[in-house]
Amino acid sequence: MTLRGLAGKVAVVTGAAGGLGRATVERLAEEGVQVVAVDLDEGAAKAVAAAVPGDAVGVGADVATEDGVNAYMQAAVAAFGQVDLHHLNAGIAGSLTDLVDVSVEEWDKVMAVNLRGPFLGVRAAFRHYLERGSVGSIVVTSSIAGLRGSNDLLAYTTSKHGTVGLVHGAAVYGGPIGVRVNAVAPGIVPTPIFGEAGMADMRRRAATSPLRRAGRPDEVAATVAFLLSDEATYVTGEILSVDGGASVQNTNRRGGGAGLWDVSVTDDALLERHRAGDASR
Ligand SMILES: NC(=O)c1ccc[n+]([C@@H]2O[C@H](COP(=O)([O-])OP(=O)(O)OC[C@H]3O[C@@H](n4cnc5c(N)ncnc54)[C@H](O)[C@@H]3O)[C@@H](O)[C@H]2O)c1
């Protein structure tokens, strides 16, 4: 379990108290990385840090604000002197609301956490490298929803598509100075992101992916660790799917999964509402 170039480095992981973030904290700690576990839930972040081997600290911060990002960077420098690696992973799902009902409040909230958060994190990382004349590696958590659309989760889908642009632009910016920026695009990995009921539904839906199962947090964490490590020194600007093949199947073909979904379930409700002219909000 040794990936070149990780041991002795310092990493920030945001959303560290959640399913995927926690798995990255654990994997990086096992690789000998000093980890700063950041989450809105300070107590949970500290508990995650306390549970892993080696030096790790937990920090409570809101990644959607400049103050929050400054706070976690300062805490990291205070604890370990510098930051080399960043997994900008904190995110929220938003609701499964119909497009016509999505509120401005929800839209802004999801964008703030899922897109402004990684932007602020990437900017802080580059400012930190600039101040120190150092370099490092950054991984953003995008999603299969950053590559494909669905008729729900509109704000989430838009925010995750936005992270693709962020990663492409930051990779082009960072390349000449030796900073690599990549993303993972997980498919379905049962975590608390959709609540307890959502976990069972995630497992059911994951059975339609080519590998016919949901992913595990440690499988995403292994990919993040690889991208952050010196095993991936010629990889930058990449959006690496960790989705059991879900994003490459053609669901309009029988052999690609057609028939696994009853489209009438969503279409009937949508058409009925449209015909009835139901514009209630
Ligand atoms: N689980 C999946 O199937 C899946 C698939 C694709 C992408 N993702 C993405 O992976 C990332 C992690 O999701 P997860 O499944 O581990 O969800 P999760 O809900 O288990 O964890 C998310 C964590 O982020 C924290 N957080 C939320 N808002 C924050 C903020 N403003 N500042 C700091 N921390 C904040 C939460 O407290 C939580 O601990 C998210 O960006 C999510 O969109 C997840």
Side-chain angles (χ1 to χ4, degrees):
M1 167 137 0
T2 305
L3 292 167
R4 279 183 297 157
L6 287 181
K9 295 270 172 64
V10 178
V12 160
V13 178
T14 70
L20 303 191
R22 183 188 184 109
T24 302
V25 174
E26 289 169 350
R27 178 61 194 260
L28 292 179
E30 284 165 16
E31 294 281 353
V33 175
Q34 295 174 306
V35 186
V36 182
V38 180
D39 204 282
L40 206 51
D41 185 338
E42 182 177 7
K46 288 189 186 304
V48 167
V52 296
D55 295 333
V57 295
V59 178
D62 182 352
V63 302
T65 68
E66 289 186 290
D67 285 351
V69 173
N70 289 338
Y72 76 62
M73 288 299 291
Q74 282 165 11
V77 171
F80 301 123
Q82 65 179 58
V83 185
D84 309 294
L85 312 173
H86 300 254
H87 182 202
L88 304 173
N89 166 76
I92 56 174
S95 71
L96 299 171
T97 312
D98 268 18
L99 182 153
V100 292
D101 299 325
V102 175
S103 69
V104 170
E105 290 73 25
E106 173 176 338
W107 181 270
D108 287 349
K109 173 78 181 157
V110 172
M111 289 300 157
V113 179
N114 292 5
L115 190 51
R116 192 201 297 154
F119 154 65
L120 292 173
V122 165
R123 192 181 68 173
F126 273 97
R127 286 179 174 175
H128 181 77
Y129 298 146
L130 182 64
E131 278 166 17
R132 278 152 204 271
S134 64
V135 294
S137 180
I138 303 168
V139 172
V140 175
T141 303
S142 184
S143 170
I144 189 171
L147 308 171
R148 303 281 185 272
S150 59
N151 76 350
D152 49 21
L153 283 175
L154 188 73
Y156 183 81
T157 299
T158 309
S159 71
K160 292 298 183 180
H161 275 70
T163 63
V164 173
L166 173 70
V167 165
H168 286 168
V172 172
Y173 180 79
I177 54 174
V179 176
R180 295 182 301 103
V181 186
N182 293 288
V184 285
I188 297 181
V189 186
T191 69
I193 194 161
F194 287 108
E196 286 299 320
M199 279 208 213
D201 183 53
M202 287 171 99
R203 288 202 177 81
R204 187 181 63 81
R205 288 185 288 119
T208 66
S209 70
L211 288 181
R212 300 286 190 263
R213 67 169 174 88
R216 299 187 313 268
D218 68 281
E219 292 175 308
V220 180
T223 311
V224 173
F226 162 73
L227 288 171
L228 290 174
S229 80
D230 287 352
E231 307 287 352
T233 44
Y234 204 50
V235 183
T236 195
E238 178 66 16
I239 315 298
L240 190 41
S241 292
V242 190
D243 65 359
S247 58
V248 299
Q249 67 185 343
N250 178 353
T251 55
N252 291 124
R253 301 268 320 153
R254 180 180 293 279
L260 289 172
W261 294 106
D262 180 358
V263 293
S264 66
V265 171
T266 52
D267 290 2
D268 287 355
L270 180 64
L271 288 168
E272 193 179 319
R273 182 174 180 186
H274 202 65
R275 287 194 193 108
D278 174 9
S280 59
R281 315 253 189 279

